[in-house]
Amino acid sequence: DGGITQSPKYLFRKEGQNVTLSCEQNLNHDAMYWYRQDPGQGLRLIYYSQIVNDFQKGDIAEGYSVSREKKESFPLTVTSAQKNPTAFYLCATRQGAGGYTFGSGTRLTVV
Amino acid sequence: AQSVTQLGSHVSVSEGALVLLRCNYSSSVPPYLFWYVQYPNQGLQLLLKYTSAATLVKGINGFEAEFKKSETSFHLTKPSAHMSDAAEYFCAVSDTGYDKVIFGPGTSLSVIP
């Protein structure tokens, strides 16, 4: 079945450490997105990519980085510059104007 | 600028009662509108979408929503709530369907047996 795989499901980060969240899709969708979800704040856009080798900052890109070397993959790195990284991270794809398809998310916790 | 408001961060209904979740949007052009549902520790699932065709949109799990341009609203309804409907619901808007989607803050639905 086609879908989006986010891994790991749970991730723990120490202070000052960079971590990378994986997002892989086999839907052949062109556009991919990363959102951050905090309780009571809905979803906030971190980065998005419309095509391979191109990506744009969203509303809260500071402290994050991405790459899009392959159509199937859009990994998100949470750097040590992100001071409050504890959140639920969601990857999504879009093909056409039909809305997003979401992965199952990664819950990141700072320890 | 686009924005979405959802009246009521938490709504409780009895099992079998009508579900009404409110959504109002602002957009400079006829928008694309979406409702998503999220169960705990899961991603979001598309319930239904409005793309300038019929104003009454039917979705999955018995949900439907009506686009009212004069009221800039896109409220979600279901005639009879089921326990499995308990979840977080998000309304979202996009100007063209191809650009960024803006999400509302969400409404948590509880269903009381």
Side-chain angles (χ1 to χ4, degrees):
Chain A
D1 288 336
I4 301 171
T5 301
Q6 287 190 244
S7 61
K9 189 169 179 63
Y10 298 95
L11 186 58
F12 297 91
R13 192 193 94 167
K14 295 181 180 180
E15 295 281 353
Q17 192 178 45
N18 292 356
V19 291
T20 298
L21 284 60
S22 172
C23 178
E24 301 281 334
Q25 57 115 345
N26 61 5
L27 299 168
N28 201 33
H29 287 180
D30 290 316
M32 298 188 73
Y33 302 79
W34 274 106
Y35 282 88
R36 169 178 171 145
Q37 187 176 24
D38 296 279
Q41 296 195 41
L43 278 69
R44 292 183 290 169
L45 182 63
I46 304 172
Y47 269 98
Y48 64 103
S49 167
Q50 305 274 31
I51 56 173
V52 175
N53 292 322
D54 187 48
F55 48 83
Q56 288 78 42
K57 293 181 179 180
D59 302 315
I60 57 166
E62 185 175 352
Y64 299 98
S65 66
V66 294
S67 63
R68 186 87 187 274
E69 298 177 359
K70 300 184 301 181
K71 187 174 185 178
E72 302 78 20
S73 178
F74 191 41
L76 173 73
T77 296
V78 184
T79 75
S80 57
Q82 172 51 241
K83 297 307 178 187
N84 185 23
T86 295
F88 190 51
Y89 291 86
L90 287 161
C91 177
T93 67
R94 180 184 55 75
Q95 186 73 357
Y100 289 172
T101 300
F102 281 87
S104 57
T106 292
R107 187 166 297 281
L108 174 62
T109 304
V110 174
V111 295
Chain B
Q2 300 165 303
S3 67
V4 178
T5 57
Q6 294 183 238
L7 184 62
S9 59
H10 187 86
V11 171
S12 291
V13 299
S14 298
E15 190 175 15
L18 172 71
V19 175
L20 171 61
L21 304 182
R22 299 178 186 274
C23 173
N24 290 87
Y25 69 91
S26 67
S27 176
S28 57
V29 298
Y32 285 68
L33 293 160
F34 309 89
W35 274 100
Y36 288 87
V37 61
Q38 183 181 34
Y39 298 99
N41 291 313
Q42 294 186 26
L44 279 69
Q45 180 184 8
L46 182 65
L47 272 178
L48 50 81
K49 61 187 178 188
Y50 168 76
T51 58
S52 73
T55 57
L56 182 63
V57 181
K58 294 187 183 299
I60 62 172
N61 301 338
F63 284 94
E64 62 182 35
E66 186 173 8
F67 172 67
K68 292 187 176 180
K69 183 178 179 180
S70 61
E71 299 177 8
T72 61
S73 68
F74 191 57
H75 301 332
L76 182 71
T77 60
K78 181 175 180 177
S80 177
H82 191 273
M83 296 299 293
S84 60
D85 294 327
E88 188 89 14
Y89 291 82
F90 293 93
C91 182
V93 64
S94 171
D95 273 348
T96 68
Y98 291 91
D99 58 352
K100 290 185 296 182
V101 174
I102 306 300
F103 288 84
T107 297
S108 177
L109 176 67
S110 297
V111 181
I112 304 166

